[in-house]
Amino acid sequence: MTTSQTASESVSVAIVGSGGAGALTAGSILLAACGKSGLYGNMNRSVGPQIRGGEAAALLRICSHPVDCMSESYDLLIAIDWNNADRFAAEMPLKPDGLVICDPESGEVPDAIAKTGVSIVEVNMKDLAKEVAGGRENMIALGLAAGVMGLPIESLMAIVSAKLSDKGEHIVEAGRNCIEAGIAQVSSHARSLEIKPPEKQGDGRWLITGNEAAGLGAVRGGVRFAAAYPITPATEILEWLSPALSKTGGALVQAEDELSSINMIIGASYGGRASVTATSGPGLALMIESIGLAAASEVPIVVVDVMRGGPSTGIPTKSEQSDLNIAVYGCHGDAPHIVVAPLSVADCLFSTQWAVHLAEAMQSPAIVLSDQSLGQAHVLIDQPANVAFLAQRKIFAGGQVETYNRYALTADGVSPMAIPGTPGGQYTADGLTHSQKGTPSSKKSDHQDQLDKRRDKIANFDYGNHWADVEGDSDMVIVTWGSMTGAAREAIRKLSAEGVSVKLVALRLIAPFMKDNFLKALEGTRRILVLEQTHSGQFHQYLRAQCDLPAEVRHFHRPGPHLIGPEEICTQIRDWISA
Amino acid sequence: MNAPQTKPFKAGDYRSDLTPVWCPGCGDFHVLMSVTRALAELGTAPQDVAVISGIGCSSRIPAYTNCYGFHGVHGRSLALATGLKVARSDLTVMVMSGDGDGFSIGGNHFLHACRRNVDLTYIVMDNRVYGMTKGQPSPTTEPDWDSALSPGGTGLSPFHPLVIALASGANFVAREFSGDIKNSTRTIIEAIKHPGFSFVEILSPCVTFRPDEKEWKNTVHKASVDETDDPARAARRIMTDDGMNVGILYRGNRKPYKAHVSDRIDDMAALESEFAIPPASKT
Ligand SMILES: Cc1ncc(C[n+]2csc(CCOP(=O)(O)OP(=O)(O)O)c2C)c(N)n1
Ligand code: SF4
């Protein structure tokens, strides 16, 4: 890529069209082609409420550095047609110097856009497509976007051939001709939206969604069994896992409901196979009783909750962080367990793999709190490193023992687990309070011992430095968790360009709360901005319950569906500094 | 040649030394005997058998066996057992439940376990009452059975487990009476041997909250129609069922659930290649 002086670090592009116009396909190819050129970026799809058809928009952000949050405003809007564009107008505000490319054949530019004063360029996409044998207007749109952004046609064609070659050489040829026709339309007058070359050249990028990454993390972590009931926005995890597990010797069962899926994975894990389920808030609510069972009977399981707006059915297709309370506090009785939250799309892989490792090592349920904004975002990431976690499940090998005590009190609180089939290891796993042997007991000492044991095994585990991402150094700190980390990082990057330094403490391990590490990370802090995507401030309350926050605190929070963006965070910090 | 056959195990090898919490005379004692005798007869080693249950008097049974066991939460034993069996097809998995556990709170799992046809043996100890919570009506309780919770009776017609099992696709359907250990044992053996989902309702009196059920030993009778592999014939027999006839009703030929498990164990590279975008060539 040749780069001019005016190239920027980040370009955001929206491609809209009615259902079937191919806006989403054009967006996917554009994103992958950027990856091919070594860039980073992400894409979110916005679709209408109708199950099929209707309008669709591909919202892209292309960057020269890794990126994990969406754009708050757009540089380029390509409208294949204007049908229903009003619905999207609020979701994709244009920058004042933004550029709109649209087809004059498909009607007037909507008022909401025309009156913003952005530059509008008309291109007859439909006519141009007709001139190409087998041509489609979304491929013209793709060419237009590539032209404006200065992307090399080779990158685009590599992706087009890979995606379309099974449809025949003539389709690939038509694609090339359309893209070339689109690029040729980009006049030298149009505003150039070139991107700076990538900060770091890698071995190549991965294009992955958070849901796929979570699935892959589970398989890398050794999961070989999954059971689940479909639910938005978690279903893609299951759809990815099903073939992936059968390719790696495992199996996925579609359960009749979440009461079933959680118990299926408890059964499979009791049988010795690392197991996972994925769901969203309503499903997690149904699973809670049995998550308590897994805690009491010490069966390792992993539950990935891809959070959406709640309560109740809420907003299934939009993100929120409001399952924090149920994940941490949902179980009846005292049932300590692990709650982990990925801090980015790439981290969905690491965090889920880590959760499998933690669950297996401590024979405990682990909940992974992902959310829609991570799960369904398509993101270009660096090819992830292979992380090998060492601790495996502590297994009872069988052989010469007088009596095998499944729930024996041990130094670290973890007792060797007999896997069915092992001679001499027969025991009954039980949700009833039990003795060390596993037999039901209502004795004061057994109850106390087993509660202590289950608390200690989780409290005393060595979580290493994975408990949080702590970045930068300043007496002004953003404390956040999960998906909000992306916007926080972006805000900190912007502020640092303005000469304002802000430290980031982003919690990956939510429960158990790493109080000592947390307070150490906050040493010397004067001001803390707590950031989260909930209505009631669940995270803030959680922090307050766990420790005395050692500084002046402000709290910025909002429910979904409108994601908190970097610019808003910057405003919070700037206002505070100038106050 | 007629050399005496030596069986590797005796029924006692399948019993733990734990004393059951059941009331003296409870039918579940007999079910425990039948299950352990059946396992000894089959000769499957205790460590290769898993007994999975939910909550209720009947569901206390796993810990009284010397097999692997799981005493889970109320109503979910079939789900837990399904996960175990799919993950570990080498094990013999028995699921033990009560009429409240299995037909009320766990009713949906019953339908889907029949339909899914995983190779499980599901034994429901039906006493037509909630024993553990001290005498409330269950889905199989007669409509006029008086209790503190439903004075004068529920007025609801009882749920018919065999009809549901047959209609939902269970591959083996039978009813026995706990007091008839010989036939219960024989039927449990057949149920375990039969591929796919096998359902055995065992009428098991709750002597404490349903003392009237002590009469069952006099009222159960052998079904007048023999077992069949024809669902239509089985359905006709059920239509004339007074709820007390015993024996194997149906032995079907449906293919058991098979998970798509491949032999390839570690094909991570192929799995991950779908995400990779190779960098643009430098030329
Ligand atoms: C979620 C939940 N709800 C209610 C209970 C209380 N409970 C325990 S056993 C039981 C009924 C058991 O009846 P049944 O399955 O017929 O077994 P039985 O005791 O008669 O053998 C109930 C309602 C529970 N343990 N869990
Ligand atoms: S209450 Fe009824 S079912 Fe429970 S142990 Fe006693 S007799 Fe058996």
Side-chain angles (χ1 to χ4, degrees):
Chain A
M1 247 189 316
T2 54
T3 329
S4 67
Q5 292 286 304
T6 57
S8 55
E9 279 194 356
S10 164
V11 171
S12 38
V13 183
I15 306 175
V16 301
S18 46
L24 298 181
T25 307
S28 310
I29 295 174
L30 183 60
L31 184 66
C34 290
K36 183 100 186 141
S37 307
L39 292 163
Y40 297 90
N42 61 22
M43 179 179 85
N44 288 271
R45 302 160 176 211
S46 187
V47 288
Q50 49 281 80
I51 305 299
R52 227 200 141 96
E55 63 280 15
L59 307 175
L60 287 90
R61 168 112 191 260
I62 305 301
C63 290
S64 45
H65 54 81
V67 63
D68 248 301
C69 69
M70 281 176 73
S71 276
E72 293 163 285
S73 56
Y74 287 80
D75 298 292
L76 171 65
L77 168 65
I78 300 184
I80 299 173
D81 59 54
W82 286 119
N83 298 345
N84 306 307
D86 289 351
R87 206 188 71 76
F88 290 122
E91 254 183 85
M92 48 188 83
L94 285 161
K95 289 188 182 152
D97 59 349
L99 170 66
V100 173
I101 304 180
C102 56
D103 192 331
E105 294 291 297
S106 67
E108 294 282 297
V109 178
D111 264 2
I113 290 168
K115 71 170 183 243
T116 57
V118 295
S119 348
I120 294 174
V121 173
E122 296 191 327
V123 175
N124 281 314
M125 293 180 237
K126 275 183 203 61
D127 289 350
L128 285 169
K130 272 183 209 143
E131 284 166 25
V132 175
R136 289 192 17 94
E137 61 257 44
N138 66 333
M139 290 292 130
I140 304 281
L142 180 59
L144 290 166
V148 174
M149 294 166 68
L151 283 179
I153 186 155
E154 293 73 30
S155 296
L156 289 159
M157 282 316 298
I159 305 298
V160 170
S161 329
K163 286 203 173 191
L164 301 180
S165 59
D166 53 337
K167 294 189 176 162
E169 203 37 54
H170 61 291
I171 300 283
V172 176
E173 193 51 36
R176 169 182 282 276
N177 293 337
C178 283
I179 293 168
E180 278 175 347
I183 293 176
Q185 288 294 315
V186 177
S187 74
S188 47
H189 314 299
R191 185 179 160 229
S192 159
L193 292 170
E194 266 178 70
I195 308 167
K196 281 199 186 136
E199 283 172 5
K200 154 170 90 154
Q201 293 286 353
D203 295 337
R205 304 277 175 260
W206 274 23
L207 177 52
I208 197 165
T209 67
N211 280 343
E212 290 165 338
L216 179 58
V219 177
R220 274 193 178 184
V223 162
R224 291 297 178 270
F225 181 83
Y229 188 73
I231 186 167
T232 306
T235 307
E236 297 87 4
I237 299 185
L238 319 175
E239 289 176 341
W240 187 83
L241 269 178
S242 183
L245 282 173
S246 48
K247 280 181 206 148
T248 49
L252 178 142
V253 177
Q254 181 178 335
E256 55 272 29
D257 55 33
E258 290 87 348
L259 302 163
S260 179
S261 51
I262 185 80
N263 279 282
M264 285 184 181
I265 67 166
I266 293 172
S269 175
Y270 167 77
R273 276 191 191 254
S275 300
V276 71
T277 186
T279 188
S280 189
L284 181 64
L286 287 180
M287 292 178 183
I288 282 292
E289 184 197 16
S290 299
I291 293 176
L293 170 67
S297 59
E298 303 198 45
V299 176
I301 51 163
V302 176
V303 178
V304 182
D305 172 17
V306 188
M307 295 182 285
R308 62 194 221 180
S312 191
T313 312
I315 311 181
T317 54
K318 299 288 176 182
S319 212
E320 204 167 78
Q321 292 187 300
S322 48
D323 293 352
L324 179 78
N325 281 350
I326 186 176
V328 175
Y329 298 120
C331 290
H332 64 278
D334 287 312
H337 57 274
I338 298 145
V339 181
V340 165
L343 305 180
S344 67
V345 167
D347 195 35
C348 287
L349 198 169
F350 174 85
S351 283
T352 310
Q353 183 173 353
W354 192 43
V356 175
H357 162 75
L358 296 178
E360 290 286 317
M362 283 175 269
Q363 301 177 14
S364 162
I367 298 174
V368 179
L369 287 179
S370 175
D371 61 30
Q372 185 275 335
S373 75
L374 296 174
Q376 294 188 322
H378 298 247
V379 179
L380 291 167
I381 61 172
D382 288 314
Q383 184 173 326
N386 250 317
V387 220
F389 288 114
L390 289 176
Q392 305 280 324
R393 200 184 290 193
K394 201 193 272 183
I395 296 290
F396 167 75
Q400 303 299 320
V401 268
E402 275 292 278
T403 34
Y404 164 61
N405 287 331
R406 164 65 184 102
Y407 301 107
L409 303 178
T410 59
D412 62 2
V414 181
S415 341
M417 183 173 179
I419 304 302
T422 311
Q426 293 100 299
Y427 74 102
T428 292
D430 210 319
L432 279 171
T433 291
H434 40 256
S435 65
Q436 296 189 49
K437 190 168 189 307
T439 47
S441 165
S442 48
K443 269 207 244 156
K444 190 170 88 178
S445 57
D446 283 331
H447 194 50
Q448 181 80 41
D449 285 350
Q450 296 293 320
L451 285 169
D452 286 351
K453 161 197 203 294
R454 298 196 295 259
R455 176 199 57 203
D456 293 347
K457 70 178 179 181
I458 286 172
N460 299 337
F461 189 82
D462 179 7
Y463 297 89
N465 57 6
H466 304 308
W467 67 280
D469 279 5
V470 179
E471 294 162 7
D473 199 13
S474 168
D475 61 4
M476 166 77 85
V477 180
I478 291 179
V479 174
T480 191
W481 73 286
S483 65
M484 277 308 306
T485 307
R489 276 205 178 104
E490 176 97 4
I492 290 170
R493 196 183 171 97
K494 281 187 170 193
L495 289 164
S496 115
E498 295 167 19
V500 177
S501 67
V502 178
K503 182 172 178 173
L504 174 73
V505 177
L507 264 59
R508 180 180 288 108
L509 184 65
I510 306 299
F513 186 75
M514 297 283 97
K515 184 173 170 181
D516 293 347
N517 296 19
F518 182 68
L519 292 176
K520 193 156 190 326
L522 290 179
E523 265 169 22
T525 299
R526 279 202 316 132
R527 294 190 270 208
I528 298 173
L529 178 67
V530 177
L531 208 65
E532 62 179 308
Q533 195 88 48
T534 70
H535 183 253
S536 64
Q538 296 181 15
F539 179 61
H540 179 231
Q541 288 165 10
Y542 181 63
L543 293 175
R544 294 279 195 193
Q546 296 295 333
C547 64
D548 290 329
L549 291 175
E552 199 188 329
V553 176
R554 285 193 184 181
H555 180 209
F556 185 45
H557 64 114
R558 171 170 77 212
H562 186 185
L563 295 179
I564 294 175
E567 197 44 48
E568 292 175 281
I569 300 169
C570 290
T571 306
Q572 293 288 320
I573 302 270
R574 288 186 201 114
D575 288 355
W576 201 356
I577 288 173
S578 61
Chain B
M1 273 208 298
N2 248 337
Q5 282 214 327
T6 50
K7 294 235 159 36
F9 297 104
K10 298 186 296 296
D13 294 331
Y14 297 87
R15 268 289 274 125
S16 74
D17 48 16
L18 215 59
T19 310
V21 294
W22 297 321
C23 312
C26 175
D28 296 349
F29 281 105
H30 291 140
V31 179
L32 177 59
M33 284 170 74
S34 300
V35 167
T36 52
R37 283 184 190 188
L39 290 171
E41 191 70 33
L42 286 164
T44 316
Q47 69 266 16
D48 295 327
V49 180
V51 183
I52 310 300
S53 73
I55 297 293
C57 297
S58 38
S59 291
R60 297 295 287 250
I61 211 165
Y64 307 144
T65 75
N66 185 34
C67 306
Y68 277 90
F70 208 126
H71 183 217
V73 294
H74 196 22
R76 315 290 165 223
S77 56
L78 282 173
L80 201 144
T82 298
L84 176 59
K85 182 68 188 183
V86 171
R88 290 290 307 277
S89 56
D90 57 313
L91 298 172
T92 296
V93 181
M94 318 269 303
V95 196
M96 310 287 292
S97 186
D99 42 301
D101 189 72
F103 304 145
S104 191
I105 192 167
N108 192 37
H109 308 307
F110 181 37
L111 300 183
H112 291 279
C114 292
R115 185 174 76 94
R116 200 176 276 120
N117 204 25
V118 172
D119 189 13
L120 299 170
T121 299
Y122 185 39
I123 296 175
V124 176
M125 290 162 256
D126 190 353
N127 54 15
R128 301 185 181 165
V129 73
Y130 286 11
M132 177 129 277
T133 46
K134 303 198 187 321
Q136 298 79 31
S138 89
T140 50
T141 303
E142 303 79 348
D144 56 352
W145 185 73
D146 188 54
S147 71
L149 196 59
S150 324
T154 60
L156 302 175
S157 47
F159 180 106
H160 199 315
L162 272 59
V163 171
I164 307 279
L166 190 68
S168 309
N171 213 26
F172 179 101
V173 181
R175 182 192 286 133
E176 290 298 346
F177 169 58
S178 61
D180 184 349
I181 294 172
K182 188 162 156 269
N183 279 313
S184 295
T185 303
R186 184 193 59 107
T187 296
I188 293 169
I189 291 171
E190 294 303 309
I192 294 174
K193 287 202 313 208
H194 196 70
F197 186 75
S198 301
F199 170 59
V200 185
E201 177 191 35
I202 301 191
L203 300 173
S204 179
C206 172
V207 293
T208 302
F209 298 104
R210 295 291 310 259
D212 52 310
E213 291 175 352
K214 290 180 189 160
E215 268 309 296
W216 278 358
K217 61 176 182 294
N218 301 318
T219 46
V220 292
H221 54 92
K222 195 179 175 319
S224 53
V225 184
D226 283 343
E227 66 165 269
T228 171
D229 62 356
D230 173 8
R233 226 176 112 79
R236 275 200 298 282
R237 168 172 144 191
I238 298 187
M239 299 317 276
T240 58
D241 182 10
D242 61 356
M244 298 308 286
N245 66 40
V246 293
I248 296 170
L249 168 69
Y250 173 73
R251 213 192 279 254
N253 308 309
R254 284 182 58 222
K255 254 176 53 192
Y257 182 93
K258 182 101 181 71
H260 304 285
V261 180
S262 91
D263 320 332
R264 283 187 294 169
I265 297 301
D266 241 337
D267 208 359
M268 290 303 292
L271 209 59
E272 299 189 355
S273 66
E274 71 175 274
F275 300 118
I277 300 176
S281 59
K282 296 273 177 312
T283 51

